[in-house]
Amino acid sequence: MTVYALAQLTIHDRARYDRYAAAFPPVLARYGGRLLAADTSPRVVEGEWPHHKAVLLSFDSREDFERWSTSPEYREISRDREAATEGVVLLLDGIGHAWPA
């Protein structure tokens, strides 16, 4: 079943984040991940949102996400993201898992 990773980030070191972002696409593709959206100015429709960027990824399965997120290639580049940002990453199951919940 498809899973989605939603990152909500506040960037405080643009140079390190840009280095991470440049290395990100080929590592994501190598593990079957797809970049669905990346927005530095999302429109807040309801509530307050304290971050600078939202990123939405999809993977065919939770196992594919785990292989990517724990891979040596991703762990290497993610050091820059971790040092350059504050935020959260949520892993969401696609619809069909337990709908309605």
Side-chain angles (χ1 to χ4, degrees):
M1 169 188 312
T2 302
V3 296
Y4 300 91
L6 173 61
Q8 299 179 50
L9 304 171
T10 297
I11 301 166
H12 54 78
D13 184 337
R14 176 52 71 177
R16 277 194 90 169
Y17 183 80
D18 288 348
R19 185 170 54 205
Y20 162 78
F24 180 82
V27 175
L28 180 67
R30 189 172 302 128
Y31 289 88
R34 292 170 301 284
L35 178 61
L36 301 179
D39 196 336
T40 56
S41 339
R43 189 176 124 213
V44 177
V45 177
E46 188 175 318
E48 293 186 31
W49 190 68
H51 299 292
H52 299 145
K53 186 171 189 174
V55 178
L56 181 62
L57 310 174
S58 72
F59 293 85
D60 288 339
S61 67
R62 187 174 293 269
E63 292 76 19
D64 288 344
F65 169 81
E66 294 293 337
R67 275 191 289 280
W68 168 73
S69 68
T70 61
S71 71
E73 299 95 334
Y74 185 68
R75 295 308 316 149
E76 177 68 28
I77 68 169
S78 70
R79 290 184 189 130
D80 281 327
R81 181 194 47 80
E82 291 165 357
T85 66
E86 304 277 333
V88 298
V89 178
L90 305 170
L91 190 60
L92 310 168
D93 288 327
I95 298 294
H97 176 64
W99 183 260

